[in-house]
């Protein structure tokens, strides 16, 4: 299989667009020098090479299965998790006091991108351990931290997040798992959770579930939800005993088959002990930390699978001969490479423009996350606001558009793309989950338009617009980027008009939010157009460099995005300004 | 599983929109009365009930496998093919002289729709037998007809079409399978064919391959291709012997797993005998008959899988409670059905508007096919021209948009949609092939813009525009449809502008055709908008009937298509009028 991502492009985004080395000037990251970040990414390539790429196909064909109450996962997972633990990468982005290496999130994200492009399904195990351990490290008592975090970061124990219940789905309001105070600082947990990724495996010594549940007498709705640590095994009189977390069933999924999704039962016979994290009834607030981290992770999933699909289909198009150029009608001449057909080039640039634009958006978010930890006062607040506003977009755009991009990659291969002989059909199955994980696209549309945009009188959007306008101003200074800076300015004005129109309906929540998924689509398109202008602004400054062809292709891809993708804003805008209501019934 | 299609809607399209009963007034169909068509469709429901629906899941999980040189297909296929043969439905649309029942194609298409919605993969076996037998019946000698057609129509033997070769893919120019004249009226066939659907099975007594090959000394390119019947077994001295058609391998596909796709080798040791169909070097012309029939069949595949996905997800949304209405913030109230969320309604109407619009386009084509056999002179010519122009569109729109629609159906189910516990994930895998079968979307875009539109100085398009304008004129006469008739008039004018712009580039074939896939997308959108106006025009005349709610929902869906789908024409038009070339190099 050809390399699934382009290190040169990753370096371009990290170094030239976002200048992540500048983070080292803040005290938080002062122990690092920029070239150490390179070494971190090199290590990701080694892990991908040794533990991930070789098992991409096999771990799909031999999917995880529930056997005698225990889930047997693909043999490669154990070695991968161990390697990640040994190399200190599971919690590398945690602060020193939380047991991490205080690595910037943008570097951690790049490490994940490289691993995920090589094997999107297996990497979920360590992503979940990271999120679960971070919750305990952030909000748990000293005792909980010591009891759980070190073994999780070492890769000995894995972690999960247990939110969804059979009857509630996306509606966390309706979580009904109960926690009864046993009076000794522990709680008896009882309830069922579904779709728990990594919910069981045969190899780790323990599995640490982070579970949302209700204390007795807690208020209904989200204000009565608390967070508990519920391990698969607990210590009792020096012995490890079962904590009555039962695997009721394993979902057979369309893709991502290396990561089992479990239906778990807690304390069916009353013998599942949980430990409260932080204060009672604040569980959802805590869990939002893990959810938001996971959301960027899911957006990354859309982007790195799209990266793998792009690079594979591009390679295929450069090797496969078929047909003749449109300008050549002579059947006596030999067939041409399919990369010489304009429609194939369209499918390749479509993928590249979606994927590299999505990468821009994602690494922008990771940078904001890092800056929110380095800056102070209003600057800190702004970075956090921008991250909060953009997280649902950075989850949704790569998921939705990445799914379409991967399917165009499959299309490049024609009939072969539909067969198991090539990895595209698996990538298409794998990527499809990204629009569902961690809140469906519909949920994130509601979050963006219903909460993100109106919050604090639109302060976050205003901050975003200021940033975009600065890049437009820069784009106006070069003849190559000027037309695109002008287009972006128009799109921004048009988006603003749509936003104002929608906000004018805010007194009728159903009318206001009815098309929020389409609002999300438009918003994502405009911010990715912004990211492309950012990348174009950097590229035009380097056209005289020795890597001229790399920068030329960047500019070409930016142009493609503006000429082929940005026009889609017209239809979305028209619909979003149209007041004909067709989806609300009494 | 809920019913996968709505008979009331099918009847609406067949009877009220296209008045298929009127075909009985032509001599060709004079033996039929309209109520006999109902009985034919009833029989399709019985076949679906007995032989198709029960095996939809199982035939996917236990996919066809190549065992000791023979492909073992799912046990249900044999009984299905037998039933279709026994009921005379395999070649029912053939004329009497070709051994059929001279059933109108529009009725045959509806029969197929019902079967395909119940089990899209198994029905391919009889679809292929139909197409292969029709080729022999249309162009073969009397001897060939008698030798092959009756057993194929009886379901004793099955058929295939063998076009694609490993080195040539979509480029039939480069077919290299050879046929050596043995002097006794037979030919020695040698070569390899790939992706042969139904290329082998364990149960039928014989398999009749229709194979494209080159006679010795034939010209290069498509003008040197001849068509041969190559059976799996041939008779020799009263014995059935192997005709050296070898199953080299079976492709494991993403979906449609009941129908095996084979890599076949013909005459590796020189012992594969073929029989020439019609005249030498005219094979591709003959094969186009089967390909065009198959293309409508593939378009149907997009539509009937989308139908199954729509009806399943609609049913789910009417049973599954989750969350509260956007206008209700009280967590004490019970959860509401997800069909009460506007975004879920949007996903349902999206599917319905795509699928029922695609059905309109497909049955319009079947009607043209029938009329081309009934009418005479210019009217006959026009029906044929319209069918030829629209066949690639009726293949592509349902395939591309149907795939998106099915994926929205999956999305309605959230996490459950991604699991094998519900049929949506299988439908999403199955439908994905439709954009590849029988010419990829890219190939059909080239056909439409490069051949269909310019042919005979645009006569076919002019005829189409006349039909559309008649429906616009009718739409203008009712206040409900008037705004949509006006929108369609605008879209038609805009499409005309795009077409003229593209034709002005015809002297540079690569520039002219570079975005032909997007031209196809726009063209499909406009003609489906036309079909929706047609359906709306009928519905508004029936609003006072006892079935008011059916007609109201039709009008609602028409409105949805115009308010949500038609605006997408804006972005496509902008791109297609934009002369920035980004997909042609050197």
């Amino acid at each position: 299989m050809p390399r699934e991502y382009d290190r040169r492009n990753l370096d371009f985004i990290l170094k030239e667009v976002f200048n992540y080395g500048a983070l080292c000037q803040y005290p938080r990251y002062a122990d690092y020098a920029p070239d150490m970040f390179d070494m971190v990414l090199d290590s990701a390539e080694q892990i991908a090479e040794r533990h991930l790429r070789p098992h991409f196909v096999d771990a799909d064909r031999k999917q995880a299965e529930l056997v005698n109450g225990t889930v047997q996962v693909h043999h490669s997972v154990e070695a991968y998790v161990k390697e990640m633990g040994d190399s200190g990468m599971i919690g590398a982005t945690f602060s020193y006091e939380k047991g991490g290496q205080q690595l910037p999130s943008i570097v951690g994200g790049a490490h994940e991108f490289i691993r995920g492009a090589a094997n999107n399904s297996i990497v979920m195990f360590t992503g979940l351990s990271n999120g679960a351990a971070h919750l305990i490290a952030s909000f748990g008592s000293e005792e909980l931290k010591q009891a759980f975090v070190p073994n999780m970061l070492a890769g000995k124990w894995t972690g999960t997040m247990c939110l969804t219940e059979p009857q509630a789905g996306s509606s966390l309001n309706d979580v009904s798992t109960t926690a009864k105070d046993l009076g000794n600082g522990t709680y008896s947990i009882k309830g069922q959770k579904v779709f728990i990724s990594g919910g069981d495996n045969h190899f780790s010594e323990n599995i640490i579930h982070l579970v949302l549940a209700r204390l007795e007498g807690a208020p209904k709705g989200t204000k009565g939800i608390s967070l508990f640590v519920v391990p698969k095994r607990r210590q009792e009189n020096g012995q490890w005993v079962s904590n009555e977390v039962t695997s009721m069933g394993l979902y057979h999924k369309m893709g991502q088959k290396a990561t089992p999704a479990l239906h778990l039962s807690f304390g069916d016979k009353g013998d599942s002990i949980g430990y409260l994290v932080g204060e009672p009834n604040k569980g959802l607030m805590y869990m939002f930390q893990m959810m938001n981290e996971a959301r960027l992770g899911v957006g990354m999933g859309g982007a790195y699978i799209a990266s793998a699909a792009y690079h594979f289909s591009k390679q295929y198009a450069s090797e496969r001969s078929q047909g003749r150029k449109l300008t050549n009608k002579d059947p006596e001449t030999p067939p041409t490479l399919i990369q010489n057909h304009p429609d194939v080039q369209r499918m390749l640039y479509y993928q590249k423009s979606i994927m590299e634009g999505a990468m821009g958006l994602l690494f922008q978010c990771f940078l904001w996350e890092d800056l929110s930890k380095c800056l102070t006062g209003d600057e800190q607040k702004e970075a956090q606001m921008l991250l909060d506003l953009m997280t649902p977009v950075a989850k949704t755009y790569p998921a939705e558009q990445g799914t379409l991009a991967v399917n165009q990659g499959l299309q490049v291969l024609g009939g072969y793309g539909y067969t198991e002989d090539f990895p595209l059909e698996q990538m298409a199955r794998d990527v499809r989950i990204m629009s569902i994980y961690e809140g469906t696209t519909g949920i994130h549309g509601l979050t963006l338009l219903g909460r993100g945009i109106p919050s604090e009188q639109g302060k976050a959007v205003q901050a975003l617009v200021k940033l975009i306008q600065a890049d437009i101003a820069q784009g106006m200074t070069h003849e190559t980027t000027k037309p695109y800076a002008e287009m972006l300015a128009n799109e921004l004005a048009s988006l603003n008009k749509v936003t104002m129109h929608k906000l004018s309906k805010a007194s009728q929540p159903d009318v206001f939010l009815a098309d929020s998924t389409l609002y999300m689509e438009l918003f994502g398109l405009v911010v990715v157009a912004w990211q492309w202008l950012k990348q174009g602004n950097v590229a035009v400054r380097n056209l005289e460099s020795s890597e001229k062809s790399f920068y030329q292709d960047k500019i070409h891809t930016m142009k493609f995005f503006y000429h082929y993708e940005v026009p889609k804003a017209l239809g979305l805008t028209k619909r979003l300004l149209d007041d004909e209501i067709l989806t609300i019934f009494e």
Side-chain angles (χ1 to χ4, degrees), chain A:
Chain A
M1 199 167 138
R3 206 185 176 85
E4 315 87 0
Y5 86 109
D6 176 4
R7 176 71 178 265
R8 179 68 190 88
N9 174 59
L10 187 62
D11 283 344
F12 170 79
I13 290 174
L14 296 173
K15 297 178 183 178
E16 298 172 65
V17 178
F18 294 119
N19 187 19
Y20 74 166
L23 287 170
C24 303
Q25 72 202 15
Y26 295 104
R28 182 180 170 94
Y29 302 122
D31 287 348
Y32 287 98
D35 60 351
M36 294 163 77
F37 296 161
D38 288 330
M39 291 164 56
V40 171
L41 301 193
D42 293 345
S43 80
E45 295 200 357
Q46 286 155 18
I47 294 174
E49 181 69 27
R50 275 204 297 265
H51 297 288
L52 294 167
R53 186 176 303 112
H55 309 293
F56 176 66
V57 172
D58 198 54
D60 175 79
R61 306 302 190 266
K62 298 179 190 143
Q63 63 180 306
E65 292 293 354
L66 180 58
V67 182
N68 299 328
T70 299
V71 175
Q72 301 289 324
V73 301
H74 193 264
H75 67 84
S76 60
V77 178
E78 181 171 2
Y80 161 71
V81 172
K82 185 175 186 313
E83 170 76 33
M84 283 288 286
D86 290 350
S87 65
M89 283 309 299
I90 294 178
T93 56
F94 296 5
S95 62
Y96 295 133
E97 65 265 30
K98 290 179 184 169
Q101 304 180 34
Q102 213 150 293
L103 188 71
S105 289
I106 192 169
V107 184
H111 194 278
E112 185 181 344
F113 189 93
I114 295 169
R115 286 180 284 117
N119 193 323
N120 69 79
S121 190
I122 288 180
V123 300
M124 276 190 68
F125 282 90
T126 49
L128 288 161
S129 291
N130 167 300
H134 202 211
L135 264 189
I136 303 173
S138 301
F139 306 110
S141 65
E142 213 42 54
E143 204 183 339
L144 281 185
K145 287 183 205 177
Q146 284 174 19
F148 294 103
V149 175
N151 278 332
M152 292 173 81
L153 298 192
K156 284 188 181 169
W157 298 354
T158 56
T160 80
M161 55 197 295
C162 298
L163 288 76
T164 307
E165 298 184 1
Q167 83 297 344
S170 298
S171 177
L172 295 177
N173 255 318
D174 298 308
V175 159
S176 68
T177 295
T178 56
K180 190 180 165 188
D181 191 343
L182 298 176
N184 59 356
T186 69
Y187 297 81
S188 172
I189 308 293
K190 191 178 178 73
Q192 301 203 359
K193 299 285 181 177
V194 292
F195 300 125
I196 306 308
S197 292
D200 191 28
N201 71 63
H202 68 271
F203 69 86
S204 55
E205 293 173 10
N206 207 351
I207 301 173
I208 313 306
H209 304 287
L210 276 286
V211 178
L212 293 182
R214 284 179 196 284
L215 290 165
E216 286 176 300
K220 286 222 173 191
T222 52
K223 287 173 187 159
I225 296 176
S226 302
L227 179 64
F228 297 87
V229 175
V230 188
K232 181 179 179 182
R233 296 185 183 88
R234 66 175 193 261
Q235 243 180 337
E236 219 161 71
N237 307 322
Q239 297 290 315
W240 287 100
V241 300
S242 163
N243 194 32
E244 215 202 351
V245 181
T246 312
S247 295
M248 307 283 287
L250 179 145
Y251 296 97
H252 288 99
K253 297 180 293 181
M254 185 186 212
Q256 281 228 320
K257 296 191 181 199
T259 303
L262 269 288
H263 180 164
L264 295 181
S265 168
F266 292 87
D268 197 34
K269 296 177 187 142
D271 193 28
S272 186
I273 301 295
Y275 312 97
L276 182 66
V277 178
E279 295 176 39
N281 298 336
K282 294 202 171 164
L284 195 62
M285 198 183 77
Y286 303 146
M287 188 57 101
F288 263 110
Q289 171 182 294
M290 183 167 181
M291 282 156 73
N292 280 327
E293 290 167 0
R295 281 164 181 170
L296 291 186
V298 174
M300 291 273 283
Y304 53 62
I305 301 175
S307 172
Y310 165 67
H311 288 288
F312 190 93
S313 60
K314 188 180 178 209
Q315 177 86 18
Y316 183 87
S318 73
E319 292 168 353
R320 168 77 173 165
S321 290
Q322 200 179 300
R324 277 150 203 85
K325 285 191 170 190
L326 291 166
T327 47
N328 174 10
K329 299 268 175 210
D330 180 3
E332 302 275 349
T333 53
T336 190
L337 294 170
I338 63 170
Q339 68 182 6
N340 293 324
H341 300 313
D343 197 50
V344 171
Q345 282 296 338
R346 187 187 57 77
M347 293 193 278
L348 293 175
Y349 274 106
Y350 170 78
Q351 294 178 71
K352 185 173 196 280
S353 73
I354 296 291
M355 178 266 290
E356 294 182 359
M359 286 176 75
L361 182 58
L362 284 156
F363 288 107
Q364 175 79 72
C365 287
F366 285 119
L367 183 64
W368 282 327
E369 192 179 324
D370 292 327
L371 289 174
S372 76
K373 292 171 186 157
C374 294
L375 300 173
T376 54
D378 283 352
E379 286 185 328
Q380 189 280 333
K381 206 182 154 203
E382 184 176 303
Q384 185 66 52
M385 252 178 9
L386 286 163
L387 175 62
D388 292 344
L389 175 71
M390 212 63 97
T391 294
V393 187
K395 188 271 177 183
T396 304
Y397 181 92
E400 289 283 333
Q401 303 302 317
T403 298
L404 296 174
V406 172
N407 273 280
Q408 284 287 38
L410 189 159
Q411 190 75 11
V412 170
L413 275 70
Y416 292 105
Y418 195 67
T419 71
E420 291 186 358
D421 299 343
F422 292 86
L424 272 297
E425 71 85 29
Q426 183 183 340
M427 292 172 188
R429 288 186 287 105
D430 287 350
V431 74
R432 182 62 187 83
I433 190 61
M434 300 302 161
S435 299
I436 296 170
Y437 271 162
E438 294 309 320
T440 61
T441 295
I443 295 288
H444 288 294
L446 295 174
T447 302
L448 175 68
L449 184 56
R451 293 195 209 160
I453 300 286
S455 78
E456 296 192 57
Q457 289 79 46
K459 249 186 160 170
V461 193
Q462 287 154 25
L464 176 69
V465 168
K466 224 172 61 189
L467 290 181
I468 297 178
Q469 277 168 343
D471 288 311
I472 289 173
Q474 194 187 328
M476 296 296 285
T477 64
H478 194 289
E479 59 176 347
T480 302
T481 45
K482 188 161 179 270
Y484 304 100
E486 287 168 350
M487 281 190 213
L488 181 57
N490 287 336
E491 293 306 328
L492 198 59
S494 168
L495 174 62
N496 184 51
K497 197 172 149 193
V498 168
T499 305
M500 290 301 140
H501 183 78
K502 284 291 166 201
L503 288 172
S504 75
K505 315 274 176 191
S507 62
Q508 301 157 271
D510 49 353
V511 175
F512 171 40
L513 296 171
D515 284 337
S516 47
T517 295
L518 302 180
Y519 182 83
M520 167 65 90
E521 192 175 337
L522 177 63
F523 198 93
L525 187 58
V526 174
V527 295
V528 172
W530 164 47
Q531 288 297 321
W532 267 115
L533 183 63
K534 269 184 112 70
Q535 296 189 28
N537 283 342
V538 175
V540 291
R541 292 199 300 268
N542 290 284
L543 278 174
E544 302 308 314
S545 81
S546 61
E547 291 180 298
K548 190 172 168 178
S549 69
F550 173 82
Y551 293 106
Q552 276 178 331
D553 200 36
K554 264 290 166 198
I555 292 167
H556 195 89
T557 315
M558 171 194 72
K559 288 183 180 178
F560 186 93
F561 193 84
Y562 274 90
H563 287 277
Y564 282 82
E565 284 302 294
V566 170
K568 293 176 180 170
L570 288 171
L572 290 163
T573 300
K574 176 150 191 205
R575 169 59 211 159
L576 288 161
L577 293 174
D578 174 356
D579 287 332
E580 181 88 21
I581 294 166
L582 294 164
T583 55
I584 302 172
F585 299 90
E586 264 322 312

